[in-house]
Amino acid sequence: MDFNYSENQGMLADSLRRLMQAEYGFEQRRRIQGAQEGVHRATWLQLAEVGVLGLLIDADSGGFGEGAESLLTVQRELGRSLMREPVIPSAVIATSMLQASGSVAQKASWLSAMARGDFIATPAYLEPHSRFDAAAVRTRAIREKDGYLMEGRKSLVWHAGDSDGLIVSACMDTAPGLTLFLLPTSTPGVKLTSYPTMDGHRAADVELAGVRLPADAVLGSPGHGLQTLQHGLDWGIAALCAEGAGAMEKVIEDTADYLRTRRQFGVPLGSFQALQHRMADMLVQKELALSMAFVAVQALSEEDEALRARMLAAAKYNVAKAARFVGEQAIQLHGGMGMTRELPLGDYFKRLTMLDPLLGDADAQLARFSAAMT
Amino acid sequence: MKILVPVKRVVDYNVKVRVKSDNTGVDIANVKMSMNPFDEIAVEEAVRLKEKGVATEVIAVSCGVQQCQETLRTAMAIGADRAILVQTDEELQPLAVAKLLKALVDKEQAGLIIVGKQAIDDDCNQTGQMLAALADLPQATFASKVEVADGKARVTREVDGGLETISVSIPAVITTDLRLNEPRYVTLPSIMKAKKKQLDTVKPEELGVDVKPRLKTLKVTEPAKRGAGVKVPDVATLVAKLKNEAKVI
């Protein structure tokens, strides 16, 4: 695997960094977050224009058909700027699920609009009892004469309140296993309760009561939804790992700047060897996380399912662990200033901490790794 | 009308450069390189003139090593139609670049040459002016506004103490200042389009230009470190210090 950016990826990364620095600075992000409006439409459309939202979508569906390596480039930059828009749930997870299993009509109606930034989709797969087990589903879809009737509850649905469509997992009495359904959020019977999460993102609980869906709402074939869902979540994990590595990079740069500037006992803090050691440890962890992000990207093209699962679980586990370490050390090195709202560090710390529970916490990743060893 | 836009590959403006230990220059090994910001403004202006229908073609030109192709691809992603690389591993100084550009201006019969007022690496601020002299063209330097109509370019220049507006007949050389425009963000679709655009490579010999350096760098050193400040007890002492020690009043 070539770890250098291609010419295109380099240009895209440069452009994204400039865009984020100019249009999505710390103050701007705070304002958007404070407004509690969910998706910031102007930023979302800018991301569409630059090509982030259509990155993984085939050219036939209005996207650019880029691969996982470009995803890493983009997510690393978005991580640096602490992007709080639903790029991973919509432009990565939902997109890769639709790409893998969507019918021609589904791709035409959802993916094209998603590439333009006119439509946001998110997977709704977790339930109040399920922890991180995507297969533990109680939501039911009953086959009717001309479609399906859906009943159930989904929880912690990432950015569901800002989404136009959900990809919902459900059990059916006519087919064993999981089945995925494409469900516009405006469908009667769908009730969303939206709330902010610790890292400035948003999530929602979704109640599905007497929701009627047409027969063509099934994504892929009935009973085979778990594979499609896991495929999407795997892409999400790779994106999250790259985002984490990018955020850690920025935290280390900011902390190094602070240590060079802040003086105690007549000298810069950075001149103390004990603090230099901590910075070195943070850098080692960040490099480890970046390497793991590359591993995760490589895993996406791995054909051996067990190996793929092990690579992704190991990557996610290590990135989340490194993120926690880097975040905590950065706060410690900033001293009291690290706890204030004057600096962006607190926001980074919250996001870095959230990397663990998102898409399966450490225990879930270790369980997945162990299961794939047998 | 064709617009020729010279672009230079320089150390990225975010990079804090370090002087080599032997004081022969700046260390650029493994340093991020990008397009000179003033040249990026020049490309943007040329593309805007094309979008207004004033120009028919925008040609980006770079002189230097093979990696300058990346800079030219960026120029084409902003909107330049094609690009020319004058490839050489020789150290290029402003006079040599001006001569190379003069040869290309003659070859391409460009109506306007829009170039950054200076490069952020050597800060020479000479190439545009030298090119105008060599090609015997009128020049409008430090442009903060450009309007082209009826065979003339009306250029607002940023000068000490205000703005000066001049009119120059076309063909002409315009050098761009910081406030001329804000370059657009390169998008993935434009990057993909740029990949398919034509990029020609020529050698200085083919243009009949001798690019041998005329100047020799004797020494490069870092700026002197700023000394610590002092507290003064009152205004009278401050005035005395400014007058007798700093000698600024």
Side-chain angles (χ1 to χ4, degrees), chain A residues 7-8 11-12 14-15 18-19 21-23 49-51 55 64 66, chain B residues 13 32 40 70 73-74 77 183-189 191-192 195:
Chain A
E7 201 175 291
N8 284 1
M11 267 196 262
L12 185 60
D14 282 351
S15 185
R18 245 184 59 198
L19 173 70
Q21 278 171 353
E23 312 284 341
E49 197 184 334
V50 173
L55 188 78
F64 308 104
E66 288 286 312
Chain B
Y13 67 94
K32 183 173 156 49
E40 212 172 332
E70 291 168 21
R73 289 276 173 222
T74 307
R184 68 195 66 187
Y185 301 110
V186 172
T187 65
L188 190 52
I191 292 170
M192 287 178 151
K195 245 166 107 175

Side-chain angles (χ1 to χ4, degrees), chain B residues 14 149 183 191 201 217:
Chain B
N14 281 313
I191 292 170
T201 304
T217 304

